[in-house]
Structures are given as C-alpha cells and as structure tokens.
Amino acid sequence: MTQTHDLSATRMAAAVRARDVSPVELTDHYLDRIERLNEQVGAYVTVTAERAREEARRAAKAVLDAADPADLPPLHGVPVPIKDLNMVNGVRMTFGSAVFSGMTGFADDNVVTKLSQAGSVLLGKTATPEFGLPCYTESDVAPPARTPWDLTRSAGGSSGGAAAAVAAGLAPVAQGSDGGGSIRIPSSVCGLFGIKPTRGRVSSGPIVPDLFGLATNGPIARTVRDAALLLDVMAGHMPGDLYRAPQADGPFLGHADRAPGRLRIARSMESPVPGVEVHPDCAAAYDDASALLEELGHEVVELPQVLGADLLPHFATLWGVMATMTPVPEESEHLMQPLTRWLRSQGEATSAPRLFQAHAALQGALRAGFPLMDEFDAILHPTLAMPPVPVGHFHEQEPAENFWRQTQFTPFCAVYNVSGQPAVNVPLHWNGDGLPIGVMLAGRLGGEGTLISLSAQLEEARPWIGRKPEIWTA
C-alpha cells in the first residue's frame, strides 16, 4: 500500500499544485512519523512542529487562492528540514555542541532563504556532530544518528541526521552540507543520492565565510530528480561570496531527463590516504558500477595517479584551522568533545606561514592535476572504504585514533572538496547484510549537469527506489 512518504518530493510538489494533497496533510504526516520514530534513528535535534503547521496552513491557503497553482514556487508545501550547522532565524541552533545548546538563530542562512522562497515547509533541524567536524554524528545534544538499514550502525556525518531523516521516511528530501564528504558519506551509508556541488554553486552566506572553499551546501534525496530540483532551488551566487561556479547549462532538473550520451569515464580505487584497505564489499560495488557503465555504452579507463598521499598533511592542516572558526568562550571550552578540542589545538598551533604553505601546496597539486582530470567526463571511486560502521566505532576512541580511523573510512571524498569539483554518491549496491554501499562520481568544475544525467541513467538501469529499510513501513 502506497504511503504519503513513498512519494518523491517532485511528485509531492506536483500533487500540491494539482490540489490532490494538502501541505497540511503532508506536514502532519511527517510530524507524526518524527514523533514516533525519531528516537530510534536520531535524525532531528529540534522539531519545529508549531512553525511547520503554520507554514503548511499558509501554503494550503495559497494553493486555494491561486488563479493558477502551476505558478506556485517549485517546492510549495513540501516539507524540508535544515541541518543544524545552518542558521534559521528564531529557531534553536546548536552546531551539534553543548556549548550552544541554548542558542537561538538570529538570521537566516542564504540557503534557508532560498528554500523558504521556493515554498518549502520547515520540519526542524537535523542532527550534526560538533561543528560538523567528524564523519559520524554523535553529539552531546542529541542521540546518535543511525542508518535506518541497521540501527546499531552510524548514519555517517556530518549530515548524518539529514540522511537518516530521508532514509527513514521522516522527510522527503533534506538540505545538507559537505566540507570533506559530509553529504556523500551519509548518503552512502543510508542508501541515498547526494550531491556535493561545484565550489561557489551554493552560497554559504551571509554569516559563514567561504575561506578555503572546502565546504558547500547541497541536497540529499531518494531520487536523482529530487536532488536536482533541490539543487536548482539552493543554487545562486550572492554578494560577498568569494567563489562563483561556472554558469549552469540550464536547470539541473532538466539534466535528469536528458540522456548523457557516450561519456569517457576514468576510475580509480587507489586511495590518496596511505595504508587504506578497501573492504571487499566496497570493491564489489565499485567493480559492479564499472561494469554497468560499460554496459550502458560508456568508455571506462583507469585513472592515472593525480594526487598523492603527501597532500594529506596539508588537508589536515586546513581542517584543524577550520575547527577553530567557531568562537567558543574560554569558560565553555570544557563542554567541547575531546576530538573537537584536539582538532582545535592542532589549528591553534598552526602558524600563518604554515597555513599558507599548506594551501599553496594543495593549489600547486591541483594545477598539475586538473589538465589530467579534465580529460574525463566523470571519475568513479568507491564512496567509502568500508561498509557502515557501528555507532561508537570512532567516537569511543582517543582523538588521534578517532581521526586516523576516519581517514581510513573515508579516504576518497575530501579530494573533491579541495579541488572544488562536483561529486555525487550513487546508491547502486547493497551487500549481503543488506547494508547500502555507495559509489562516487566526480565531474569537471561546473559539471553537475553531466553527473545528474549520468546518475539518472544509472538509476533507470538499476532502480533503487524500491529498496526500503524495515522502519520505512512503521
């Protein structure tokens, strides 16, 4: 039997405009599921039920009053949560930290404004780890975010709450952000399609600085078309942004309905992080995706080494400095988790010359690497080197061991945060234990359209929408 949350976001939006379903009905359905199931998956840290119902009532009235509902904005009446690293005016804002457990947002992030202008209804704030720094979501302000496919295992991070919400049917789509894999990692372990856009495609303003350009907002969804629609809504350069992505070739949603043609695709399972052993399940997903791409008529070749292991310390330098960017009063520093304090100590010990040298080394490597990577329409990797791991696998370790384990778990993602290239997780594979194992496709700068077209072709050839965790029918 079809349930309301079986509908894709694009179908929901169309049903609202056709007056087949009310935004109030949609909102009440998701709020009911959140109330019953959120404790199991740890998706939301704050639920804005009263605000959501009021927004839904206004959206329903607008549908009835519209001379032509087709003119309503693209997500009119569709519930969409916001990650708790992004500020919403008047809504609790914790940054995943006990330091800010009582803070209220005093402005809207640009991406929040765009989602609101598109007509979406705010369900609440999704869980994130402290300051979004680790690749798992276990904070001191909310229960751990768990993949709905196995509630003993982590939903990843830092957009772990967002991915858990979508995969458990607690939201149709979600906004996430990605500074070192934080959309692609949870999308992989939760069996979802997620897009890290090109640097400068989505504004991080007006409060969060661009700085190194590692992090960007992006969509997490069950289908390629839903993610493309959400990216269309979120995209846009704003005054003061340091980076601007190349002009898109039409709406991203249009690319989901456009055949990609025959593409030249490189592939690599060689990790830029030393000592990594790719789990057989992840290698199988990678080989299976390679074979499928060839079956679809694409040329698939091995990627020569582009970036070496010598760049990892430079990325770690940037990551430590980024950890210091959230201001914490001295009297509240004891409230931070051990990993956060450890990373901030690394950043605080970094001199300005060392920081600039690290940034320059990364830029130099990319100047040499881009001509090679640009020979290909897309590049295939495993998204992760391991299947979903148990809750506590990272968090229960001392900081240095914790950080090392994270680098072994996710060695492939951060390269494309450094380069600024778009990259997606495609949920093509499930292992023998029923756990999702994603593969990653990266593209040229500005090449989200190609990745969306290719991913839609893969989705059509190997549909994943019918795969649902047990909690989905609860």
Side-chain angles (χ1 to χ4, degrees):
M1 183 176 67
T2 300
Q3 303 179 85
T4 298
H5 56 281
D6 287 321
L7 298 173
S8 66
T10 50
R11 287 183 62 194
M12 277 184 194
V16 167
R17 288 192 292 271
R19 297 173 175 153
D20 290 335
V21 66
S22 164
V24 174
E25 178 186 347
L26 292 176
T27 298
D28 284 344
H29 177 82
Y30 281 107
L31 288 175
D32 173 68
R33 285 185 64 81
I34 292 167
E35 183 177 1
R36 290 188 291 109
L37 303 173
N38 184 57
E39 187 174 341
Q40 296 181 47
V41 295
Y44 288 85
V45 62
T46 300
V47 180
T48 54
E50 184 176 339
R51 172 173 172 158
R53 289 192 171 102
E54 176 56 32
E55 289 182 355
R57 285 192 290 268
R58 290 201 302 266
K61 185 178 185 301
V63 173
L64 295 175
D65 292 346
D68 184 357
D71 294 332
L72 291 168
L75 287 173
H76 189 82
V78 177
V80 181
I82 299 295
K83 185 177 176 179
D84 204 30
L85 290 184
N86 294 84
M87 190 171 289
V88 180
N89 190 26
V91 175
R92 184 185 181 216
M93 172 81 185
T94 76
F95 296 101
S97 175
V99 174
F100 299 101
S101 60
M103 178 178 165
T104 299
F106 51 82
D108 284 341
D109 275 4
N110 288 337
V111 71
V112 172
T113 299
K114 285 183 171 292
L115 285 165
S116 177
Q117 290 171 344
S120 68
V121 172
L122 177 68
L123 288 173
K125 304 293 290 296
T126 55
T128 186
E130 193 162 53
F131 307 158
L133 294 171
C135 69
Y136 60 93
T137 304
E138 298 172 44
S139 76
D140 291 334
V141 295
R146 302 170 185 269
T147 175
W149 295 93
D150 180 347
L151 294 174
T152 70
R153 297 176 187 263
S154 171
S158 62
S159 304
V166 176
L170 308 188
V173 290
Q175 170 267 341
S177 57
D178 190 318
S182 292
I183 285 172
R184 291 158 288 160
I185 296 164
S187 294
S188 178
V189 300
C190 291
L192 302 170
F193 183 75
I195 304 175
K196 183 203 86 69
T198 295
R199 178 179 294 147
R201 179 70 69 204
V202 181
S203 175
S204 64
I207 298 167
V208 178
D210 298 285
L211 295 182
F212 311 125
L214 295 179
T216 179
N217 293 283
I220 296 175
R222 293 167 57 226
T223 73
V224 175
R225 296 188 87 254
D226 279 2
L229 172 61
L230 200 58
L231 183 56
D232 278 325
V233 166
M234 299 166 74
H237 183 271
M238 300 294 286
D241 290 346
L242 293 179
Y243 304 98
R244 184 190 292 268
Q247 183 69 33
D249 179 20
F252 294 116
L253 184 56
H255 284 275
D257 298 320
R258 184 185 306 173
R262 187 172 192 267
L263 303 181
R264 188 163 189 254
I265 300 171
R267 71 171 208 155
S268 176
M269 203 167 66
E270 184 174 342
S271 167
V273 175
V276 168
E277 294 185 11
V278 177
H279 190 279
D281 290 345
C282 300
Y286 166 79
D287 287 333
D288 188 43
S290 301
L292 179 58
L293 288 166
E294 289 185 324
E295 288 173 18
L296 293 170
H298 303 293
E299 178 188 6
V300 179
V301 300
E302 297 296 325
L303 178 72
Q305 184 173 4
V306 179
L307 302 176
D310 57 319
L311 296 180
L312 178 61
H314 300 308
F315 177 81
T317 295
L318 266 61
W319 201 249
V321 172
M322 285 178 62
T324 71
M325 291 304 299
T326 305
V328 176
E330 186 175 351
E331 63 273 17
S332 299
E333 289 183 351
H334 70 285
L335 295 174
M336 292 186 294
Q337 294 183 336
L339 176 69
T340 307
R341 293 199 300 270
W342 182 78
L343 286 169
R344 285 169 70 95
S345 71
Q346 308 290 313
E348 290 162 356
T350 300
S351 66
R354 182 180 164 203
L355 172 62
F356 283 118
Q357 287 162 5
H359 206 190
L362 292 170
Q363 183 183 18
L366 290 170
R367 282 175 167 164
F370 269 124
L372 177 58
M373 291 189 289
D374 284 347
E375 292 181 9
F376 305 100
D377 298 295
I379 301 173
L380 173 72
H381 304 279
T383 302
L384 299 170
M386 305 177 195
V389 297
V391 170
H393 174 80
F394 308 108
H395 194 59
E396 294 172 1
Q397 310 304 316
E398 291 299 314
E401 172 70 13
N402 179 332
F403 189 74
W404 179 82
R405 287 191 178 198
Q406 291 186 62
T407 64
Q408 301 299 296
F409 181 63
T410 176
F412 301 103
C413 289
V415 166
Y416 297 106
N417 296 90
V418 173
S419 71
Q421 293 166 261
V424 302
N425 176 75
V426 189
L428 289 174
H429 189 83
W430 271 253
N431 70 6
D433 295 324
L435 297 173
I437 309 289
V439 293
M440 180 170 63
L441 288 165
R444 299 186 182 101
L445 287 169
E448 292 97 324
T450 298
L451 293 181
I452 289 168
S453 294
L454 177 58
S455 298
Q457 184 186 50
L458 291 168
E459 182 181 28
E460 182 179 12
R462 191 78 58 78
W464 56 76
I465 193 66
R467 289 183 176 269
K468 297 166 185 173
E470 184 177 346
I471 199 172
W472 187 266
T473 57

